[in-house]
Amino acid sequence: MKRRKFIEDSSKATAVLMMAPGLSILSSIGKDKVRLGFIGVGARGLTTLKLALERNDTEVTSICDTDPITLKRASDMIAKAGKREAKVFTGNDLAYKTMLEDKNLDAVIISTPWEWHTPMSLDAMNAGKAVGCEVAGAMSLDECWQLVRTHERTQTPFMILENVCYRRDVMAILNMTRQELFGEMIHLEGGYQHDLREVKFNDGVKYYGGGVEFGDKGYSEARWRTTHSVHRNGDLYPTHGIGPIGSYINNNRGNRFEYLTSMSSKARGLHDYIVNHPKGGPDHPNAKVKFRLGDVVTTHIMTSNGETITLTHDTNLPRPYSIGFRVQGTKGLWMDLNKSLHIEGISPAHKWEDAEPYLKEYDHPLWKKYASDAAGAGHGGMDWFVLNAFIEAFKNKEPMPLDVYDHASWSAITCLSEQSIAQGSEPQSFPDFTDGKWMTRKPIFALDDRY
Amino acid sequence: MKRRKFIEDSSKATAVLMMAPGLSILSSIGKDKVRLGFIGVGARGLTTLKLALERNDTEVTSICDTDPITLKRASDMIAKAGKREAKVFTGNDLAYKTMLEDKNLDAVIISTPWEWHTPMSLDAMNAGKAVGCEVAGAMSLDECWQLVRTHERTQTPFMILENVCYRRDVMAILNMTRQELFGEMIHLEGGYQHDLREVKFNDGVKYYGGGVEFGDKGYSEARWRTTHSVHRNGDLYPTHGIGPIGSYINNNRGNRFEYLTSMSSKARGLHDYIVNHPKGGPDHPNAKVKFRLGDVVTTHIMTSNGETITLTHDTNLPRPYSIGFRVQGTKGLWMDLNKSLHIEGISPAHKWEDAEPYLKEYDHPLWKKYASDAAGAGHGGMDWFVLNAFIEAFKNKEPMPLDVYDHASWSAITCLSEQSIAQGSEPQSFPDFTDGKWMTRKPIFALDDRY
């Protein structure tokens, strides 16, 4: 039934490709600097802003946020970098729309609360501004479709800024999968396993921890992200796991996600945190909040080529950070938890080997070339690579390496996992956001050492 | 629909509890040796036979097999141990029935091909012989019900010989879960990840490897086990993972499995093995065999108390052995792959700690007491414990620590995962084999240092 609905929606939405505003921008640049606007300069936006300011081929012309404190931090950062002052857009939630009217703006970086990612991306694409959008965010399958259709109609570049796709070990493994060291892909695992309790709760002043406040009384992510844990139950943050896996299995490029099932454990972690925190306790008003998000949400995905994928979302409990990668093929497998791999005919039979020598040997050409540039950038350097890819693809007028179809199919996992859980783990079919083009599209992600 | 079917079946099967043959046997022993018969003395049966021969409280009075070679090995082993010669039952598949007529036999150990476990267990219970049955085997949910109803009717002791429940680290973790070091249970993982290609194929002479034969041309497990990989697709061997997890979450004792979904990857490993083996190749007749068993089968289980469980079955690909345990609660988690744990308030925040010191500190009383007795027994000593538990519970006329309800609910995973995969991962409800008794039954497994 759902599948039929999508087909109807997609045929309604089909539109003749038009010469879109984005194309004129694309043709206006090439040698000059890419003029960037930042929508959202909170904790995440500031990290990307810093990287943009370090580049010689970008100019930050405008920044936008509703929070004066973080706007001041951004302006100070720009000044400290010795760069020209950026225009500031603020005052209300829709101030970014005014910013998008600026003819001297080529592209925007969107680092706002999840629920704003789609409307802002749509407005930016419609205004002909290339979009680099932070991960997570489609609140419905219809939002995924709108992004796809708007991109197809406007031809404005869109990239999902999934940084883990550029993690050094992840890219070395990509290199190995392409050289078929693991053989034909069979089963993959990943996820987002990160104790976010000090992200979801703080004291209303600091970014992280120090209290049990969220929503209006929280600050930064606690102000908006926690609300999703109150009201939603599903894999809310699938991209760090599924992004790299998508590259390994050529998602939307000869392969695609067909259906998934999701299952959610009971929800205990966030309530316990409030009750046991020195600034919380059983009488704190937030102790009455009922969190819907299960502490551990597991999702199985079936692909059209017959690989299976297991994703885990685990953000409410005390635990060490782990994506939990497993990349398994007919000739062997890699797992990041024990930093080990096994390859038939090379590794001793039935034994793990330390992955490190292999990760060095198969270091991706991009990392070989740019490791020193990336050094010091956020999240072990991968933030540098993802911004670099966006800027380089834009400058070269080439397709974005992680595109709107990637984004739609990854984000759909969140919506479909919510549906599956609500229906007692019933399987849910993925829409084909490519309208069949997945059968013939070729891989483009990180094929060489360019970006 | 399925659930209704089960209820009908179970009401049909309900019978008045009768004074059963088993009870007279039970009352006839206590001080003397337990008189054991072995049905199946192949690779696995011989291991258990050896342990039985080392005990002072058992006497192996009869052995049964269809293979003269392995019967000779068993007889030689008995002679070498200086024990009295056992009666031999052989000649056809049903020779065990004659053995069960022996009045001087208290209990049987069943180590036969999976498809024989249920009929032999039923016959043994009906003959009043206590049953220690090797793992795996119910071919249908109806077989699970028959085992339960036959046990309830005859009151003959039945134990499923799941040895991993007695693994030293597994029991230390059980100790820790009971002391609530991990808090309330949230999510658990396990499985059977074991490259069985040299078990599923051999040269028809050796137990393991050396060729690509199976079925009539194979030997030992390759003679029968591989056939299941040809015809079935599901989690064929769930107990090593689910057994320990069952103890952690008190399965059938205040909790139970409610439903599952399963997903299967493509099947490549076994075919590839045949084609690439020096004694195989693309022209070998077995290269034409189409194996249905997916190389990696993943299963999600939901419990009535809201814990989630992920099981992985992975036996066709090159890989190191791993059960892949994860035991996660509100206060922390243990994983066996990286031999690490994290406990809130004890471990450094967001960091793994080596599990070893904890496993030592929380070593289970049973292991503290019997480690030296178990030393040298199969599978790191755990085989000693599982046989010991069966014999001690029998001698003491106490309930079996891993009983027919455990066996039925674990074995049902195989049947239900096959159904789920056949239906595109549709969720499947577990029958309640306890008829509601799970709500009030109390844990009994390894509560102290007795057995």
Side-chain angles (χ1 to χ4, degrees):
Chain A
M1 263 187 5
K2 250 148 236 114
R3 187 179 270 255
R4 193 165 61 237
K5 175 77 167 47
F6 294 136
I7 292 168
E8 284 167 15
D9 286 353
S10 71
S11 62
K12 267 185 242 160
T14 302
V16 180
L17 287 181
M18 298 179 299
M19 187 63 180
L23 293 180
S24 60
I25 292 290
L26 275 172
S27 54
S28 75
I29 58 130
K31 51 252 135 268
D32 286 314
K33 296 189 176 192
V34 180
R35 296 162 300 181
L36 287 178
F38 278 75
I39 307 181
V41 283
R44 182 63 187 152
L46 287 174
T47 312
T48 313
L49 175 63
K50 184 165 180 291
L51 291 170
L53 292 170
E54 287 166 4
R55 297 182 67 97
N56 297 322
D57 56 357
T58 59
E59 189 183 344
V60 178
T61 57
S62 44
I63 55 176
C64 174
D65 208 294
T66 52
D67 174 17
I69 298 171
T70 206
L71 277 169
K72 173 80 165 53
R73 285 180 187 138
S75 295
D76 289 352
M77 189 183 276
I78 293 168
K80 201 176 159 196
K83 300 290 171 106
R84 198 188 307 176
E85 196 178 342
K87 285 183 228 164
V88 175
F89 297 86
T90 187
N92 65 67
D93 284 347
L94 301 179
Y96 75 94
K97 292 197 182 206
T98 315
M99 173 173 145
L100 291 175
E101 291 168 7
D102 186 352
K103 290 213 169 59
N104 297 315
L105 181 67
D106 300 317
V108 294
I109 303 292
I110 299 173
S111 314
T112 50
W114 297 338
E115 54 272 29
W116 282 98
H117 287 185
T118 300
M120 287 169 170
S121 293
L122 295 174
D123 287 337
M125 282 193 280
N126 280 321
K129 314 300 181 191
V131 175
C133 185
E134 264 305 323
V135 296
M139 299 293 112
S140 64
L141 291 171
D142 188 66
E143 279 201 342
C144 298
W145 275 118
Q146 284 193 54
L147 287 164
V148 166
R149 295 311 181 202
T150 301
H151 170 74
E152 289 174 343
R153 179 170 48 76
T154 65
Q155 293 287 299
T156 315
F158 175 96
M159 179 166 166
I160 177 72
L161 301 176
E162 175 39 64
N163 55 1
V164 179
C165 290
Y166 293 91
R167 208 171 84 177
R168 193 165 197 163
D169 58 346
V170 161
M171 294 198 81
I173 297 295
L174 176 64
N175 205 5
M176 292 175 73
T177 62
R178 285 178 173 166
Q179 296 185 42
E180 297 186 354
L181 267 93
F182 301 109
E184 181 181 350
M185 289 287 97
I186 297 289
H187 176 70
L188 303 99
E189 297 180 4
Y192 189 64
Q193 305 180 117
H194 191 182
D195 174 1
L196 293 182
R197 293 174 304 161
E198 295 202 335
V199 172
K200 296 188 185 186
F201 302 108
N202 57 34
D203 59 4
V205 181
K206 285 189 302 203
Y207 285 137
Y208 306 120
V212 297
E213 304 302 336
F214 72 95
D216 291 343
K217 293 189 172 177
Y219 182 62
S220 188
E221 286 177 82
R223 189 165 287 172
W224 58 269
R225 188 172 186 160
T226 317
T227 309
H228 294 263
S229 302
V230 177
H231 295 286
R232 304 173 75 189
N233 193 9
D235 187 330
L236 302 182
Y237 205 62
T239 69
H240 292 330
I242 201 64
I245 290 172
S247 303
Y248 298 145
I249 62 157
N250 298 318
N251 179 38
N252 293 323
R253 299 173 183 280
N255 200 1
R256 76 176 195 92
F257 306 147
E258 284 216 334
Y259 60 89
L260 62 70
T261 66
S262 268
M263 197 174 275
S264 162
S265 78
K266 60 185 122 182
R268 294 286 186 273
L270 300 183
H271 173 78
D272 283 5
Y273 185 77
I274 291 164
V275 168
N276 297 321
H277 195 282
K279 292 201 182 163
D283 298 325
H284 189 283
N286 286 345
K288 288 192 193 70
V289 175
K290 202 164 154 46
F291 295 92
R292 283 194 68 205
L293 177 64
D295 291 337
V296 179
V297 173
T298 39
T299 301
H300 288 329
I301 300 175
M302 174 63 82
T303 70
S304 57
N305 286 351
E307 299 95 355
T308 47
I309 301 166
T310 302
L311 292 182
T312 309
H313 183 269
D314 169 3
T315 61
N316 301 341
L317 299 171
R319 62 157 300 132
Y321 178 91
S322 168
I323 296 280
F325 279 120
R326 167 172 174 164
V327 176
Q328 183 167 17
T330 50
K331 293 182 182 168
L333 79 168
W334 167 67
M335 295 187 76
D336 70 348
L337 184 72
N338 60 346
K339 303 178 198 300
S340 297
L341 54 69
H342 175 85
I343 298 174
E344 182 160 45
I346 299 176
S347 309
H350 298 276
K351 297 282 182 203
W352 291 112
E353 277 192 279
D354 180 9
E356 192 53 33
Y358 293 87
L359 298 177
K360 283 222 171 78
E361 182 179 350
Y362 293 93
D363 197 21
H364 192 280
L366 258 177
W367 270 93
K368 279 189 185 159
K369 187 169 168 186
Y370 290 116
S372 62
D373 298 75
H379 296 105
M382 61 198 189
D383 287 353
W384 184 91
F385 283 95
V386 72
L387 179 65
N388 181 63
F390 174 64
I391 301 294
E392 292 295 332
F394 180 80
K395 288 194 308 189
N396 290 287
K397 301 174 194 169
E398 289 176 329
M400 288 290 157
L402 301 170
D403 65 11
V404 74
Y405 302 107
D406 292 316
H407 178 55
S409 61
W410 301 348
S411 297
I413 293 169
T414 298
C415 310
L416 295 172
S417 77
E418 288 182 273
Q419 287 179 196
S420 180
I421 289 167
Q423 296 174 17
S425 300
E426 284 282 334
Q428 310 289 325
S429 292
F430 279 83
D432 171 12
F433 293 106
T434 72
D435 296 323
K437 293 190 288 286
W438 67 272
M439 295 183 283
T440 50
R441 294 173 89 225
K442 300 285 176 245
I444 62 164
F445 177 77
L447 294 179
D448 50 38
D449 69 354
R450 290 176 61 233
Y451 57 82
Chain B
M1 266 195 353
K2 249 148 236 115
R3 186 179 271 257
R4 193 166 61 237
K5 175 77 168 46
F6 294 137
I7 294 168
E8 285 168 13
D9 285 353
S10 71
S11 62
K12 266 185 245 159
T14 302
V16 180
L17 287 183
M18 301 179 296
M19 188 63 178
L23 293 180
S24 60
I25 293 290
L26 275 172
S27 54
S28 76
I29 59 127
K31 50 252 139 267
D32 285 315
K33 295 190 179 190
V34 180
R35 296 163 299 180
L36 287 179
F38 278 74
I39 308 182
V41 283
R44 182 63 186 152
L46 286 173
T47 312
T48 314
L49 175 63
K50 183 165 182 289
L51 291 170
L53 294 170
E54 287 166 3
R55 297 183 67 96
N56 297 321
D57 56 358
T58 58
E59 189 183 344
V60 178
T61 57
S62 43
I63 55 176
C64 175
D65 208 295
T66 52
D67 174 17
I69 298 171
T70 206
L71 277 169
K72 173 79 164 52
R73 285 181 186 137
S75 295
D76 288 352
M77 189 184 276
I78 293 167
K80 202 177 157 194
K83 301 289 172 107
R84 198 187 309 174
E85 196 178 342
K87 285 182 229 165
V88 175
F89 297 86
T90 186
N92 65 68
D93 285 346
L94 301 179
Y96 75 92
K97 293 197 183 206
T98 315
M99 173 173 145
L100 291 174
E101 290 167 8
D102 186 353
K103 289 214 168 61
N104 297 315
L105 180 66
D106 301 316
V108 293
I109 303 291
I110 300 173
S111 315
T112 50
W114 298 338
E115 55 272 29
W116 282 98
H117 286 185
T118 300
M120 287 170 170
S121 293
L122 294 174
D123 286 337
M125 283 194 278
N126 280 322
K129 314 301 181 192
V131 175
C133 185
E134 263 306 321
V135 296
M139 298 294 111
S140 63
L141 291 171
D142 188 67
E143 279 201 342
C144 298
W145 275 119
Q146 285 193 55
L147 287 165
V148 165
R149 295 311 181 202
T150 302
H151 170 74
E152 289 174 343
R153 179 171 48 78
T154 65
Q155 292 287 299
T156 314
F158 176 95
M159 179 165 165
I160 176 72
L161 301 177
E162 176 38 67
N163 54 1
V164 180
C165 291
Y166 294 91
R167 208 172 82 176
R168 193 165 197 162
D169 58 346
V170 161
M171 295 197 83
I173 296 295
L174 175 64
N175 204 6
M176 291 176 74
T177 62
R178 285 177 172 166
Q179 296 186 43
E180 297 186 356
L181 267 94
F182 301 110
E184 181 181 350
M185 289 287 96
I186 297 288
H187 176 71
L188 302 99
E189 297 180 3
Y192 189 64
Q193 305 180 118
H194 191 180
D195 175 0
L196 293 182
R197 294 173 304 162
E198 295 202 335
V199 172
K200 295 188 186 186
F201 302 108
N202 57 34
D203 60 2
V205 181
K206 285 190 301 203
Y207 285 136
Y208 306 119
V212 297
E213 304 302 334
F214 72 95
D216 290 342
K217 293 189 173 179
Y219 182 61
S220 188
E221 286 175 82
R223 189 165 287 172
W224 57 269
R225 188 173 185 160
T226 316
T227 309
H228 294 264
S229 302
V230 177
H231 295 286
R232 304 173 76 189
N233 193 9
D235 187 331
L236 301 183
Y237 205 63
T239 69
H240 292 329
I242 201 64
I245 289 172
S247 303
Y248 298 146
I249 62 158
N250 297 319
N251 179 40
N252 292 323
R253 298 173 183 279
N255 200 1
R256 77 177 194 90
F257 306 147
E258 284 216 333
Y259 61 89
L260 63 70
T261 66
S262 268
M263 197 174 275
S264 162
S265 79
K266 59 186 122 183
R268 294 286 186 274
L270 300 183
H271 174 78
D272 283 3
Y273 185 78
I274 291 165
V275 168
N276 296 320
H277 195 282
K279 292 202 183 164
D283 298 325
H284 190 282
N286 286 345
K288 289 193 192 70
V289 175
K290 204 165 153 43
F291 295 91
R292 284 194 66 205
L293 177 64
D295 291 337
V296 180
V297 173
T298 39
T299 301
H300 288 330
I301 301 174
M302 173 64 82
T303 70
S304 56
N305 287 351
E307 298 96 354
T308 47
I309 301 166
T310 302
L311 293 182
T312 309
H313 183 268
D314 169 4
T315 61
N316 301 343
L317 299 171
R319 61 158 300 133
Y321 179 91
S322 168
I323 297 281
F325 279 120
R326 167 172 174 164
V327 176
Q328 183 167 17
T330 51
K331 294 183 183 167
L333 78 168
W334 167 66
M335 294 187 77
D336 70 348
L337 184 71
N338 60 345
K339 302 178 197 301
S340 297
L341 55 68
H342 174 86
I343 298 174
E344 183 161 44
I346 298 176
S347 308
H350 298 276
K351 297 282 182 205
W352 291 112
E353 277 191 281
D354 181 9
E356 193 53 34
Y358 293 87
L359 298 177
K360 284 224 171 76
E361 183 179 349
Y362 292 93
D363 197 22
H364 192 280
L366 258 177
W367 270 92
K368 279 187 186 159
K369 187 169 167 187
Y370 291 114
S372 62
D373 297 76
H379 295 106
M382 61 197 190
D383 287 354
W384 184 90
F385 283 94
V386 72
L387 179 66
N388 182 62
F390 174 65
I391 301 293
E392 291 296 331
F394 181 81
K395 288 192 309 189
N396 291 286
K397 300 174 197 170
E398 289 176 328
M400 289 290 156
L402 301 170
D403 65 11
V404 74
Y405 302 108
D406 292 316
H407 178 56
S409 61
W410 301 347
S411 297
I413 293 169
T414 298
C415 310
L416 295 172
S417 77
E418 289 183 272
Q419 288 180 193
S420 180
I421 289 167
Q423 296 173 18
S425 301
E426 284 282 333
Q428 309 289 325
S429 293
F430 279 84
D432 172 12
F433 293 106
T434 72
D435 296 321
K437 293 191 288 287
W438 67 272
M439 295 185 281
T440 49
R441 295 172 89 223
K442 301 284 176 246
I444 62 164
F445 177 77
L447 295 178
D448 50 39
D449 68 354
R450 290 176 60 235
Y451 58 81

